[in-house]
Amino acid sequence: MTFEDYTQPVKILVTGATGQVGSAIVQGADDEPFFSVVGLGPKELDITSQEQIREKLDLYLPDYVINCAGFNGVDAAQHEHERCYAVNAEGVEKLAAACGDLSIPVVHLSSDFVFDGHYDSGYREDDEVSPLGVYGDSKWQGEEALRRVLPQHLILRASWIFSESGNNFVTRTLERARSQLEIKAVNDRIGNPTAASDLARVVLAMLKQIHNGAEAWGTYHYCGAEVTNRYSFCKEIISLAMGYEELAMEKLTSVSASHYPKEAQRPSSSVLECKKLLNTFGIHQRPWRSDLSEVIRFHYQSRKQALQD
Ligand SMILES: NC(=O)c1ccc[n+]([C@@H]2O[C@H](COP(=O)([O-])OP(=O)(O)OC[C@H]3O[C@@H](n4cnc5c(N)ncnc54)[C@H](OP(=O)(O)O)[C@@H]3O)[C@@H](O)[C@H]2O)c1
């Protein structure tokens, strides 16, 4: 390596850059001189298209690709199999093959939904997978394709991702609390909420160490610190939101998931053990509670701005 190599920013290309994790990674990387980042949404790069993948790799010649593209409709996946597998499994395989041809390592986001959730002490990376639905299975197929095709990969499984905008549990809860007198939330699904911005911090920290020579390819888990359940998470969101606006909601009721039938079954425990990440990269879990108050603050800031515009 020459001195110039050290001073050149590391070029990363982010797919699915209009999503919550993709946009957080682009923003995080933009703030760091270590990285130079290109974020492409699905209109600029559709990962189901081999041609588009090759065209964008040739154009940008990134040092790393971070794949945040995903079909994330857990219920929709049950009747949209083809589209779900095309993005989450075959799309990942196409991306991996094209990156492999150019020796570009790939960082890929996966999910706690590869597990069935029957074990609530925290899933480890090498625990047996057993997806409950099409979405979880498609994420597992995507992981396997990446492992098979490209040894230089990082797979990061995360859970319960939230951010200030887009479609996630926090924004959905706020919408419901604005329009409904009573909200029901399940008390028997547990997990660790994870802020998209926190996940971005973790991905970029891993990448820095990899770029600096850490031989640590493989699969890792990350989620925010502190296990909770959907009801308690909902309660925390509402209580923070009440500091910003008067909500229509008067009652929050705790119910069992069996009273809330959904098209796709969900794991009752999404708890991921994150020791491998700590032992390998020295990355600690950040408490989701502090991230949540920031996210709610950002949410109301941009809402106020939008109302003024
Ligand atoms: N959300 C969670 O709680 C959660 C939990 C664990 C793991 N994950 C994983 O984390 C990753 C990022 O999740 P997220 O929450 O940021 O999801 P998100 O907000 O839904 O973002 C996904 C992005 O991928 C785009 N996309 C869809 N199909 C595409 C295609 N064919 N080519 C390129 N881009 C495409 C979406 O665009 P459109 O919006 O226009 O479709 C969107 O911009 C995903 O792999 C997901 O499976 C998510």
Side-chain angles (χ1 to χ4, degrees):
M1 254 190 183
T2 66
F3 178 69
E4 283 206 337
D5 289 326
Y6 282 108
T7 57
Q8 293 297 318
V10 175
K11 291 194 280 180
I12 55 177
L13 187 155
V14 180
T15 65
T18 49
Q20 41 174 358
V21 179
S23 57
I25 291 178
V26 170
Q27 197 181 336
D30 247 346
D31 291 342
E32 293 204 35
F34 188 87
F35 295 109
S36 136
V37 59
V38 176
L40 302 177
K43 288 196 182 119
E44 298 139 311
L45 172 55
D46 175 350
I47 66 159
T48 65
S49 160
Q50 190 77 264
E51 295 72 32
Q52 286 189 29
I53 294 172
R54 292 194 187 272
E55 183 200 323
K56 297 301 184 207
L57 292 180
D58 287 344
L59 179 65
Y60 294 110
L61 295 171
D63 298 307
Y64 301 92
V65 167
I66 306 180
N67 182 36
C68 299
F71 178 101
N72 293 326
V74 174
D75 291 316
Q78 293 299 112
H79 54 263
E80 291 184 55
H81 295 207
E82 231 172 87
R83 209 176 123 219
C84 180
Y85 284 107
V87 181
N88 292 350
E90 292 138 33
V92 177
E93 181 158 12
K94 286 175 187 164
L95 194 63
C99 287
D101 288 346
L102 297 168
S103 302
I104 302 169
V106 169
V107 182
H108 174 63
L109 270 299
S110 190
S111 166
D112 57 287
F113 273 60
V114 299
F115 299 114
D116 62 18
H118 293 147
Y119 176 67
D120 59 11
S121 297
Y123 281 100
R124 292 187 345 193
E125 288 76 358
D126 53 2
D127 279 334
E128 198 180 324
V129 300
S130 178
L132 295 172
V134 173
Y135 168 75
D137 187 59
S138 71
K139 294 302 290 183
W140 171 245
Q141 300 299 332
E143 286 190 11
E144 285 287 86
L146 182 54
R147 288 190 192 99
R148 198 170 51 241
V149 174
L150 182 63
Q152 284 77 27
H153 66 257
L154 292 172
I155 294 170
L156 189 60
R157 293 186 186 133
S159 63
W160 292 22
I161 301 172
F162 65 91
S163 61
E164 59 271 23
S165 56
N167 179 16
N168 61 71
F169 189 76
V170 171
T171 54
R172 283 197 302 272
T173 299
L174 294 174
E175 279 307 311
R176 288 163 69 207
R178 283 184 192 121
S179 57
Q180 298 171 16
L181 289 179
E182 182 183 4
I183 292 192
K184 293 182 177 139
V186 303
N187 52 21
D188 50 2
R189 280 191 57 216
I190 59 167
N192 296 49
T194 310
S197 56
D198 188 27
L199 205 51
R201 164 190 75 94
V202 171
V203 168
L204 295 174
M206 291 170 86
L207 213 44
K208 269 188 187 170
Q209 294 190 38
I210 288 281
H211 193 73
N212 287 327
E215 277 294 329
W217 304 114
T219 302
Y220 297 87
H221 288 172
Y222 183 77
C223 53
E226 196 191 319
V227 179
T228 187
N229 62 48
R230 285 291 192 192
Y231 169 76
S232 302
F233 187 35
C234 192
K235 205 164 145 192
E236 186 67 18
I237 295 164
I238 304 279
S239 120
L240 288 166
M242 279 162 62
Y244 292 89
E245 71 171 318
E246 208 169 306
L247 298 165
M249 191 210 84
E250 290 172 357
K251 191 175 174 201
L252 175 62
T253 309
S254 157
V255 294
S256 156
S258 57
H259 291 110
Y260 231 120
K262 297 256 191 183
E263 219 168 314
Q265 230 187 313
R266 272 115 169 117
S268 55
S269 169
S270 291
V271 180
L272 299 173
E273 190 193 273
C274 305
K275 280 192 192 136
K276 184 178 169 192
L277 187 79
L278 176 64
N279 294 339
T280 312
F281 290 96
I283 297 174
H284 289 265
Q285 289 172 277
R286 198 160 72 184
W288 58 263
R289 281 180 193 278
S290 45
D291 284 326
L292 181 63
S293 51
E294 275 294 274
V295 158
I296 298 279
R297 190 170 69 79
F298 288 144
H299 174 85
Y300 281 100
Q301 229 171 37
S302 41
R303 193 174 151 82
K304 192 172 161 196
Q305 189 64 48
L307 291 174
Q308 281 168 357
D309 289 345

